[in-house]
Amino acid sequence: GFRVRGDVDIGPTDVMIPERFQTSIPALNVVEKASETSTGFHIPIYVDIDVSADDKIFVRGWGLDAEFGGDLDVTGRVDEPEIQGVLSSRRGRYEEFGQRFDIDRANIRFQGPVPPSPYLDIKATTQTDDIEASIILSGPVAEPEIALSSVPSMPEDEVMSHILFGRDLNNISPFQAIELKQSFDRFSGRGGGGFDPLGKIRNLTGLD
C-alpha cells in the first residue's frame, strides 16, 4: 500500500450555521451494483495529514459571527478518512433579540468520518435585569440544538422574557406575550412565517 503524509495550511474559510435547525434532509441508503467487468485500483492508500488554521475560519449564522482557529488531523484510508481535532474561537460576537452576548466559550469539534458534521459547543452570556442569561448552541452543525439557561435558574420562556423585556412573564403586556411566543417559536425552530400582528402594525404605521 501507500501512505500520504503532509501539512496543510487552511486559508480563509466560511462555515454557515443553518437559520432553521429542526429541518433535516433524510439520508437514502443507496446500493450500487458493481459492474462485473470493472477493474479498480485496490491497493490501500492511507493518509496522515496535519491541517492547521491559525485563524480566518469564519462561522456565521443564527446571530453568531466569530473567527476560529486550531489544528485537525486527517487519518485513515483515503476512501474513508477521519477528521479529529478542535477549532476554538479567536474573537467574535453573538447577537439575538436586540442584545449583544459575550462569548464564554466557542469550540467546533471534529470527531468522525467525511463528510464531516462537526459538533458545536458555544455558550454566550448577557446580563439583563437581575439575572445572567445564556444561550447555548450544541450538537452537530447539520442538526444543532439551542437552549436558554440563566443564573438563578429559570424556565426558558421566563429567561427569554427577561432578555426581551427585562421583566418576568407576569409583568408583560398582551402584545409582548405575542412577541415572546413568536420569538420562542422561531428560536426553537418551530417558527417560519404566519400571522404577525406586530409586523403588520409596524408596516402600517411606520412605528418601530
Side-chain angles (χ1 to χ4, degrees):
F2 298 90
R3 184 175 300 276
V4 179
R5 292 193 180 102
D7 299 322
V8 177
D9 293 326
I10 298 295
T13 303
D14 289 314
V15 178
M16 303 303 297
I17 301 176
E19 291 298 320
R20 286 291 176 267
F21 285 155
Q22 303 302 322
T23 301
S24 59
I25 300 175
L28 301 180
N29 184 19
V30 179
V31 178
E32 296 182 358
K33 183 178 179 180
S35 173
E36 295 180 356
T37 59
S38 64
T39 57
F41 186 72
H42 301 295
I43 299 177
I45 302 175
Y46 297 90
V47 293
D48 183 7
I49 299 175
D50 294 328
V51 180
S52 299
D54 293 335
D55 51 25
K56 296 183 180 179
I57 305 296
F58 300 102
V59 180
R60 300 183 176 97
W62 201 266
L64 178 67
D65 186 353
E67 182 179 2
F68 287 76
D71 297 305
L72 305 175
D73 294 325
V74 183
T75 59
R77 289 171 59 113
V78 71
D79 54 341
E80 293 182 349
E82 292 198 356
I83 302 177
Q84 304 285 341
V86 178
L87 301 179
S88 299
S89 175
R90 301 292 189 248
R91 62 175 179 83
R93 66 181 184 272
Y94 188 90
E95 295 181 356
E96 185 60 88
F97 312 120
Q99 298 272 2
R100 185 162 184 167
F101 291 75
D102 297 324
I103 296 179
D104 294 340
R105 68 172 184 268
N107 298 305
I108 303 177
R109 185 178 303 278
F110 293 79
Q111 49 186 28
V114 173
S117 180
Y119 284 81
L120 299 175
D121 178 22
I122 299 173
K123 181 181 179 182
T125 303
T126 188
Q127 191 72 32
T128 175
D129 197 16
D130 56 350
I131 72 168
E132 183 181 88
S134 298
I135 295 178
I136 302 171
L137 284 81
S138 60
V141 169
E143 197 172 355
E145 297 179 353
I146 192 163
L148 292 171
S149 65
S150 67
V151 178
S153 180
M154 295 180 177
E156 286 191 326
D157 54 351
E158 189 77 36
V159 176
M160 186 172 291
S161 179
H162 279 268
I163 294 174
L164 287 173
F165 312 117
R167 63 190 70 176
D168 59 41
L169 286 173
N170 296 326
N171 297 319
I172 64 175
S173 68
F175 266 172
Q176 288 175 329
I178 294 173
E179 184 173 358
L180 176 65
K181 182 182 184 304
Q182 291 178 335
S183 297
F184 195 78
D185 286 348
R186 182 183 67 83
F187 195 69
S188 60
R190 296 190 296 267
F195 180 57
D196 181 10
L198 294 179
K200 291 183 181 298
I201 291 175
R202 292 190 186 99
N203 292 334
L204 289 173
T205 64
L207 179 66
D208 188 359

